[in-house]
Amino acid sequence: QHEAVAIDEARGAAYLTEDRKEGCLYRFLPDSAAEPHGRGRLQALAIRGAPRFPLGQQLAKHARFEVQWVDVRPEAGEKDELRSEAQAAGAAVVCRGEGIVRTDDGFAFTCTEGGPIQGGQIFHLVPSEQGGTLELLAQSEDDATLNMPDNITITPWGDLLVCEDNRETTHLRLITRQGEVVPFARNAMSRSEFAGVCFSPDGRTVFVNIQEDGLTLAIQGPFEKLSR
């Protein structure tokens, strides 16, 4: 049931989302960064002092939490019981974790049906070996502004660019460093989701797929006016 992964290259750790309404956010810490697929620990994110905290509820703007990590048995995943064991140990409940991307100091990830109208949330995680911090960057309170964010990437100027996945009208949305949601592009062709968004190495082209139509688009900049 895992959805996406982002890698902490220095530590060799993998951070994984889970596309379930009652999912978790996981990380795998290898014993050796030189052997990222070897032995290690599987852990789930928990909010310090608040076992099984439901992150998908309505949260205050820029809500910030201290986090900790609880160990979970990888074997529990063989019977689709990983999230149940993790939450029994105190892990936070993540409402449909989907896209995740490495940032300068941590990771940003989407929760597609989190928030007060179940229209989505975007979080920023700055992890440490024993804990770290989690901040709400944006949440949907109006589906005309943000409607079910999914895949995510980071822009060359440090903002986030997210793909929407809903059965209505899908957009690419910029999430600025101040948490403002800005429209970037609209799928005027179909109701399919955008997916697989990324920038070219020179930062002048955005590549993105329209999934059900089987198309890959190249959107060309320059995008300097979007930098905030």
Side-chain angles (χ1 to χ4, degrees), residues 136-201:
L136 176 70
L137 295 181
Q139 67 183 353
S140 176
E141 299 186 18
D142 173 5
D143 61 15
T145 302
L146 180 65
N147 190 359
M148 305 184 76
D150 188 338
N151 286 187
I152 188 170
T153 194
I154 191 165
T155 69
W157 58 92
D159 291 339
L160 299 167
L161 185 60
V162 300
C163 302
E164 290 183 336
D165 177 12
N166 57 66
R167 302 307 302 176
E168 299 168 9
T169 302
T170 57
H171 291 79
L172 293 173
R173 308 274 191 184
L174 281 170
I175 312 298
T176 72
R177 283 163 285 189
Q178 293 75 37
E180 183 183 3
V181 181
V182 180
F184 180 89
R186 176 175 64 91
N187 178 4
M189 179 177 182
S190 71
R191 292 187 177 184
S192 173
E193 68 177 281
F194 283 116
V197 65
C198 62
F199 280 81
S200 61

Side-chain angles (χ1 to χ4, degrees), residues 26-45:
Y26 303 94
R27 71 178 182 181
F28 176 72
L29 297 178
D31 292 341
S32 169
E35 297 182 6
H37 302 293
R39 289 183 171 273
R41 290 176 293 157
L42 183 64
Q43 298 181 316
L45 178 143

Side-chain angles (χ1 to χ4, degrees), residues 58-64 136 139:
Q58 181 169 8
L59 300 174
K61 187 175 182 179
H62 296 298
R64 188 178 177 90
L136 176 70
Q139 67 183 353

Side-chain angles (χ1 to χ4, degrees), residues 95-112:
C95 190
R96 292 194 62 199
E98 292 210 77
I100 187 168
V101 67
R102 187 83 166 92
T103 67
D104 289 344
D105 57 352
F107 300 88
F109 64 94
T110 62
C111 299
T112 299

Side-chain angles (χ1 to χ4, degrees), residues 110-134:
T110 62
C111 299
T112 299
E113 293 190 31
I117 64 169
Q118 299 182 332
Q121 297 166 308
I122 295 116
F123 288 94
H124 187 232
L125 170 68
V126 181
S128 66
E129 190 74 18
Q130 302 300 323
T133 59
L134 181 69

